[in-house]
Amino acid sequence: MEPLYLHRPVLAAPAVQWLVTDPAGSYMDCTFGRGGHARLILERLAPQGRLIALDRDPDAAAAAAQIADPRFRFVHTPFSRLAATLAALEIASVQGVLLDLGISSPQIDTAARGFSLRLDGPLDMRMDPTVGESVADWLARAPQAEIARVLREYGEERFAARIAAALVARRAAGRPVASTGEFAALVAATIPGAARAGRKDAAQHPATRSFQAVRIHVNQEFEELALVLDSALHALAPGGRLAAIAFHSLEDRIVKRFMAAHAHPERAADSRLPLRAHDLPAPRLKLLAKVLPDEVEVAGNPRARSAVLRVAERTAAPWPQREAEGGGGAASRGGEPRPHPNPSSLGLAGPRRSSGAELRSAKHRFRPPLRRGGSNSLPRLRGRVGVGASVPQEGISPGEAE
């Protein structure tokens, strides 16, 4: 059966308009998808401009092969490999990094990928079906306490313990869940009807939170996000921009806290210490905007309703010498590329999963400190790139949506 999606990039015009400040610069689209944002970026680039796109989905690689543009390069790899990719390509810094987080409409609407609540298919949900274990495989072996933790932390599911118990009981009876339909039905049957009616998201399927949670877990999405945010900040040239589109509060919170921590590093200082202004760390980011989809976009693409675009700009503040000389970023304090022991082994011809050590380290970094109310200075914009300046919507071709 053919996929049912109509492919549109979410917040396409404002994202690209905020991102591209130098048409002759180098940019990264770290979530190529089906190329909706990438094509719009290419339209804004000069002949000497450059776009490097990343994605770990094999279907994205097939879509990227259709773009015949000498300014474009696609790398089939997780976006946590941003720094290694730039090192292999001998690119010291870039003028912009775009992140379109979560899953895309083609992934949701292709039953065989196992992401859909609406279409029954194998319970897979891997961004790259060739790497790691599927949701079904994980549920077939995971302890009950681990399942409950994942549902609670990544899905904010109130009935996490009850759902985990039901999954393990079914598994013990020799009938582990193997399809999206089975998983959705079990969750729906486990959550009391009265509790479902009282939820803020009562209009959604009762298994929505559980689907989100297990997908985030098997794809290590938050660990990957922590790694790419850190790498992107190191890779940006002064004046370069980081633009991130999030679709649920958990991933948006990570992006918001990361940007705020680097825009206001003084908030991490002990307020009891008598520090002078010049003793405080210099901010490495400047917060620019928070953009929400307007009513027209939401009406044409309901999946855009929860999207949030955050944009920050790299300042000229240097990295501390010891950090600049370490690994993990594309550029050093002086703008030179960070050394890599063997660029030819970075797997640019195929996907590479981030190492366990990298991802374990990321778990301790993806929630940087944020003082309460620290984002109040960030403007709330709806479908606009500035106060009173409407984003042009014409000329947007079908592309990636979430």
Side-chain angles (χ1 to χ4, degrees), residues 13-14 17 385 390-394 396:
Q17 191 159 340
V385 298
S390 178
V391 176
Q393 297 294 329
E394 65 273 14
I396 300 177

Side-chain angles (χ1 to χ4, degrees), residues 174-375:
R175 299 182 298 109
V177 292
S179 72
T180 55
E182 292 173 352
F183 184 43
L186 181 145
V187 173
T190 303
I191 299 176
R196 295 203 303 265
R199 287 186 169 191
K200 293 181 180 179
D201 56 357
Q204 294 183 338
H205 192 286
T208 299
R209 292 172 179 264
S210 296
F211 267 63
Q212 171 185 298
V214 295
R215 188 204 80 218
I216 289 172
H217 176 71
V218 298
N219 291 294
Q220 300 177 298
E221 291 181 33
F222 290 169
E223 293 85 353
E224 290 277 330
L225 178 54
L227 290 169
V228 74
L229 288 172
D230 185 66
S231 295
L233 181 57
H234 280 82
L236 286 173
R241 291 182 175 180
L242 172 61
I245 304 171
F247 287 82
H248 61 78
S249 61
L250 293 176
E251 64 188 7
D252 180 53
R253 191 179 307 152
I254 295 171
V255 173
K256 178 175 68 174
R257 287 178 171 175
F258 177 87
M259 289 182 172
H262 288 282
H264 299 285
E266 74 281 358
R267 293 174 179 168
D270 191 335
S271 60
R272 297 168 297 181
L273 297 178
L275 297 176
R276 292 171 293 186
H278 68 267
D279 292 326
L280 295 172
R284 298 190 181 100
L285 285 177
K286 175 184 177 183
L287 304 180
L288 295 183
K290 174 182 176 180
V291 184
L292 305 177
D294 59 24
E295 292 81 1
V296 174
E297 179 166 10
V298 173
N301 183 10
R303 287 175 179 165
R305 65 184 180 276
S306 62
V308 180
L309 165 66
R310 295 185 185 273
V311 187
E313 184 174 280
R314 179 72 167 95
T315 68
W319 293 99
Q321 187 63 38
R322 65 186 181 194
E323 192 172 354
E325 293 173 353
S332 70
R333 178 182 180 184
E336 295 300 318
R338 295 188 176 196
H340 192 282
N342 185 8
S344 65
S345 68
L346 295 177
L348 296 188
R352 181 197 183 279
R353 189 180 181 90
S354 297
S355 71
E358 290 173 322
L359 294 170
R360 283 192 297 273
S361 174
K363 285 186 178 181
H364 301 289
R365 303 205 312 269
F366 76 78
R367 290 182 181 176
L370 176 65
R371 178 172 290 182
R372 195 172 181 181
S375 62

